[in-house]
Amino acid sequence: MSATDPTEVPLLVATDHRGTLSGPTAPAAPDLLPRRRARQGLVHSLVANRKALTGMILLALFVVVALLAPLLAPGDPSTITSLGAQPPSAQHLLGTTPKGQDVLALTMWGARSSLLVGFVVGLAATAIGLLVGLSSAYFGGRADNALSLLTNVFLLIPGLPLLVILAAFLPTGMVTVILVLTFTGWAGSARVLRSQALSIRGKDFVAAAIVTGERPAWIMFREILPNMASIVMITLIGSVIFGIGAQAGLEFLGLGDVSVVSWGTNLYWASNDGALMSGTWWAFVPSGAAIAFVAFALALINYGVDEVTNPRLRATRRTTSARRRALRPATHPEVNR
Amino acid sequence: MRFVVRRLGFYLVAFWVSVTLNFLLPRFMPGDPVSRMLSQSQGRMTPEQVDQMRVLFGLDQRPVWQQYLGYWHSVFTGDMGVSISRFPTPVTEVIASQIGWTVLLGGTALLIAVVIGNALGILAAWRRGGVLDSVLPPVLVFVGSFPYFWLAMGALYLFGVTLGWFPLRHAFTAGLTPSGSPVFLSDVAAHLVLPAATIVLVSIGGWMLGMRNTMIATNSEDYIVMAEAKGLRPARIMLRYAARNATLPAVTSFGMAIGFVVGGALLTEVVFAYPGVGYQLLGAVSALDYPLMQGIFLTITAAVLVANFLVDIVYVRLDPRVRVS
């Protein structure tokens, strides 16, 4: 949670600050409403959105557990505390692994590494994607061609095998996992951010800024970027989901640092110790469910951001449903639960 | 035609990047893969093979550009060296014996997911707000939040271990000899059900939502209103007018999804111990079998690029706008 704040706050401040300068030439009528709402604070309107609020509470819960893990489950979680493969009981709420470690402690401690890697990968991949996308859209021409080519090549090279190969050649460790995931994950964000930046690049206020003689970096980061804050946020959340899932996958394959406790390594050990075959389902259910809940929470926040910042989404919905034959009031399709 | 040539150029660049990546990786990594492999092979390697390894990994003191040219030469002649973990089988033979299983598994799963997913998407978009449209998407999104391999483990535990409906591992029962006999084929099919079903389960949501969203856009086009005004049968409008025009983005995603067939089935193959290329790749990684690793990565990349190029050609046939511009 704290990881998203640094990007979010300056962007909104920047909108206010530059908004006065680029105001007169800035967006046409339909854009004004959401902008004014954005000024009241994206966070504020997100809290008002039920989906986003649910997602944020769920995510906050996991972050709190991750931060408080040393208090909630003191000591090294991978120490063997009891008999192996004990089903859930009052002593071990989620049972013990085939080795005899407490599953609840492992799951709580696992949140630390998984969330950390997920957010770092998300931030790094989005930052690279933003840099590539913005310069691609701003400079255009040859730079755009070269950068788009690079992005598309990275999108096309199969990610998972590349991840495996890279992880195999590099020394194992958390830094490697972060580097490898960033290396394979930035291209998707770059493509989305480029196309958004490209449409803003064509607006009059950017042309005005160029005529005023602003530096390219200033135009990219203070003129274009604040106007695509919501899409950056959506990309960021998407990258975090990718980071958490891919880290778990990589570690499940045994390519991470298996001595670190994370949700991925928990699943790796569960599978390695034959938890599946011996029927100790409680050894692999909690970590997987934790990943799913975090991904689901992030997806909820994403839908919330989308709904709050994209009036077009709601507008088209209304016209299409009006045009189609009598329909029940549009319940939002993506996520209701 | 110009479009096809440009795409071909793009795929050539992509191929060049992946070959170069493959060439650079072992040369800039810390440690000496050859000595690690030597200890792994426990003296089974002849001195010539050690020399060949050194050439393959650039430890033979030649200038880098010469090594690079030599590497390209071996890529084009299909000479990927000899596998260490399956000594002394050539890498190409190891891959050839396993790629069939991967294509079988990934291809089956992809086809089923595409057909069912798109059909559901069409129906959901056609009856917006109906049961299908309001219940299925959230469920599929929720299913999609779970890590894929974890769902696969759960399915294996539930249907394989607890209920015992399906076999637990491998592509066919040990002891059977591969042949065209009904016994063998039904055995292969039984082994295929669980892994393929898990892939279908997680990928169907993407197809459905994608189709649904494009179809909602085409549904509001004027020619649909026109077709309705003409009094055409709804089924005809749905399939021949709306769905047909909404298929184009799905064709592009199909090209991307072929990447999942060859490369992304890795996790499936690992969970179900399915003897495909992905399972072998992980085996090669843990056995430090570098030639095999590189060979598999190149094969996967080449397959993805070729598949995408073919899809591009199909796309030109389907969408005349690409031909004109």
Side-chain angles (χ1 to χ4, degrees):
Chain A
M1 196 59 196
S2 61
T4 56
D5 286 336
T7 50
E8 195 180 291
V9 175
L11 293 182
L12 292 169
V13 172
T15 322
D16 282 348
H17 172 60
R18 296 302 296 172
T20 49
L21 243 178
S22 56
T25 48
D31 277 350
L32 279 174
L33 187 75
R35 273 177 65 97
R36 195 173 301 143
R37 197 180 294 159
R39 244 170 244 157
Q40 285 167 6
L42 186 62
V43 178
H44 189 129
S45 30
L46 276 181
V47 171
N49 183 294
R50 222 182 60 210
K51 251 173 249 167
L53 186 66
T54 319
M56 285 191 287
I57 291 174
L58 201 56
L59 185 64
L61 207 69
F62 276 96
V63 173
V64 167
V65 167
L67 291 176
L68 295 183
L71 295 176
L72 295 170
D76 184 1
S78 39
T79 44
I80 290 162
T81 51
S82 81
L83 289 171
Q86 295 298 306
S89 63
Q91 214 172 8
H92 300 283
L93 287 177
L94 291 176
T96 61
T97 64
K99 280 208 201 79
Q101 299 141 325
D102 185 58
V103 175
L104 183 62
L106 281 175
T107 312
M108 289 198 293
W109 279 83
R112 294 168 82 90
S113 149
S114 289
L115 291 179
L116 179 71
V117 171
F119 277 103
V120 172
V121 166
L123 282 172
T126 311
I128 297 177
L130 196 59
L131 211 61
V132 171
L134 276 180
S135 20
S136 195
Y138 178 78
F139 293 109
R142 249 186 229 151
D144 184 22
N145 280 341
L147 289 174
S148 297
L149 183 69
L150 191 71
T151 312
N152 286 331
V153 166
F154 266 90
L155 276 176
L156 203 59
I157 294 179
L160 198 56
L162 180 62
L163 275 178
V164 170
I165 295 273
L166 283 173
F169 275 115
L170 292 162
T172 52
M174 198 194 270
V175 180
T176 303
V177 172
I178 291 175
L179 284 179
V180 166
L181 291 183
T182 310
F183 184 71
T184 50
W186 63 271
S189 345
R191 187 155 78 167
V192 174
L193 294 174
R194 173 187 168 271
S195 59
Q196 181 70 16
L198 208 57
S199 74
I200 296 172
R201 172 74 171 81
K203 293 260 164 71
D204 287 342
F205 69 91
V206 176
I210 294 174
V211 173
T212 327
E214 299 281 21
R215 281 177 299 113
W218 178 272
I219 298 175
M220 279 193 280
F221 291 103
R222 305 308 293 271
E223 301 278 357
I224 298 179
L225 183 59
N227 283 294
M228 47 192 275
S230 73
I231 201 113
V232 173
M233 178 102 174
I234 289 174
T235 318
L236 174 71
I237 295 175
S239 304
V240 174
I241 297 178
F242 159 79
I244 292 177
Q247 184 215 13
L250 213 54
E251 290 180 335
F252 169 70
L253 293 174
L255 294 169
D257 186 351
V258 288
S259 60
V260 170
V261 175
S262 79
W263 292 332
T265 49
N266 287 349
L267 290 167
Y268 167 77
W269 286 118
S271 146
N272 241 29
D273 297 341
L276 214 56
M277 297 303 156
S278 60
T280 48
W281 52 268
W282 53 88
F284 70 87
V285 166
S287 290
I291 296 172
F293 277 118
V294 169
F296 191 59
L298 288 165
L300 280 179
I301 299 176
N302 239 357
Y303 286 119
V305 174
D306 213 19
E307 269 177 27
V308 168
T309 59
N310 191 354
R312 218 171 290 153
L313 204 69
R314 279 165 290 165
T316 38
R317 288 248 161 80
R318 217 169 294 135
T319 45
T320 39
S321 53
R323 213 187 264 197
R324 293 234 55 81
R325 47 192 82 70
L327 286 173
R328 265 144 277 171
T331 45
H332 195 67
E334 273 82 16
V335 187
N336 275 327
R337 257 185 50 85
Chain B
M1 199 57 213
R2 262 193 61 200
F3 174 77
V4 174
V5 172
R6 275 189 52 192
R7 293 307 292 170
L8 185 63
F10 166 69
Y11 290 120
L12 287 179
V13 172
F15 188 63
W16 170 74
V17 169
S18 49
V19 169
T20 307
L21 208 64
N22 226 353
F23 169 80
L24 290 178
L25 270 176
R27 282 167 180 77
F28 286 91
M29 290 305 146
D32 172 5
V34 176
S35 45
R36 264 194 277 175
M37 277 187 298
L38 265 179
S39 56
Q40 187 83 14
S41 72
Q42 292 156 348
R44 282 177 303 174
M45 286 167 86
T46 60
E48 294 91 70
Q49 277 156 345
V50 176
D51 283 345
Q52 187 216 355
M53 286 296 135
R54 294 205 180 280
V55 172
L56 190 63
F57 291 118
L59 299 162
D60 58 336
Q61 315 304 327
R62 282 186 303 164
V64 173
W65 65 270
Q66 261 183 18
Q67 294 178 22
Y68 188 56
L69 289 182
Y71 189 73
W72 269 106
H73 179 77
S74 61
V75 166
F76 276 117
T77 49
D79 174 21
M80 311 276 201
V82 176
S83 162
I84 308 296
S85 53
R86 303 192 154 212
F87 193 79
T89 326
V91 165
T92 39
E93 259 177 56
V94 177
I95 297 175
S97 70
Q98 282 164 330
I99 194 143
W101 293 116
T102 298
V103 171
L104 176 71
L105 172 61
T108 316
L110 177 65
L111 283 182
I112 296 175
V114 167
V115 171
I116 300 181
N118 280 321
L120 287 175
I122 291 171
L123 287 176
W126 194 247
R127 289 170 213 270
R128 275 201 78 195
V131 179
L132 200 62
D133 190 32
S134 44
V135 174
L136 216 46
V139 171
L140 288 174
V141 168
F142 187 67
V143 168
S145 314
F146 285 90
Y148 164 71
F149 61 92
W150 186 79
L151 282 180
M153 284 165 82
L156 183 65
Y157 174 73
L158 193 63
F159 297 108
V161 178
T162 314
L163 296 172
W165 291 354
F166 297 105
L168 298 179
R169 46 200 291 115
H170 290 303
F172 53 88
T173 311
L176 284 182
T177 38
S179 64
S181 69
V183 179
F184 180 73
L185 288 183
S186 60
D187 189 55
V188 167
H191 281 79
L192 192 62
V193 174
L194 215 45
T198 53
I199 300 181
V200 170
L201 184 70
V202 287
S203 54
I204 211 168
W207 292 106
M208 179 181 172
L209 287 181
M211 189 60 183
R212 175 186 167 276
N213 292 348
T214 5
M215 179 117 161
I216 284 172
T218 49
N219 269 349
S220 59
E221 292 283 348
D222 289 337
Y223 59 79
I224 301 291
V225 182
M226 177 67 184
E228 276 173 3
K230 279 195 292 190
L232 293 179
R233 279 183 299 114
R236 188 182 164 87
I237 303 175
M238 178 174 84
L239 293 176
R240 304 292 292 273
Y241 283 67
R244 200 169 166 180
N245 281 294
T247 336
L248 280 177
V251 172
T252 316
S253 327
F254 189 76
M256 288 298 215
I258 293 179
F260 188 81
V261 168
V262 198
L266 196 148
L267 283 168
T268 324
E269 293 179 359
V270 170
V271 171
F272 294 96
Y274 204 81
V277 172
Y279 188 54
Q280 186 63 57
L281 178 61
L282 193 70
V285 166
S286 50
L288 296 178
D289 189 344
Y290 290 94
L292 188 54
M293 263 156 63
Q294 295 208 299
I296 291 177
F297 182 66
L298 264 192
T299 312
I300 292 176
T301 319
V304 170
L305 296 180
V306 170
N308 273 281
F309 183 57
L310 292 179
V311 167
D312 275 350
I313 293 177
V314 172
Y315 200 92
V316 175
R317 286 280 314 140
L318 291 177
D319 190 351
R321 283 170 298 186
V322 187
R323 268 174 282 170
V324 178
S325 63

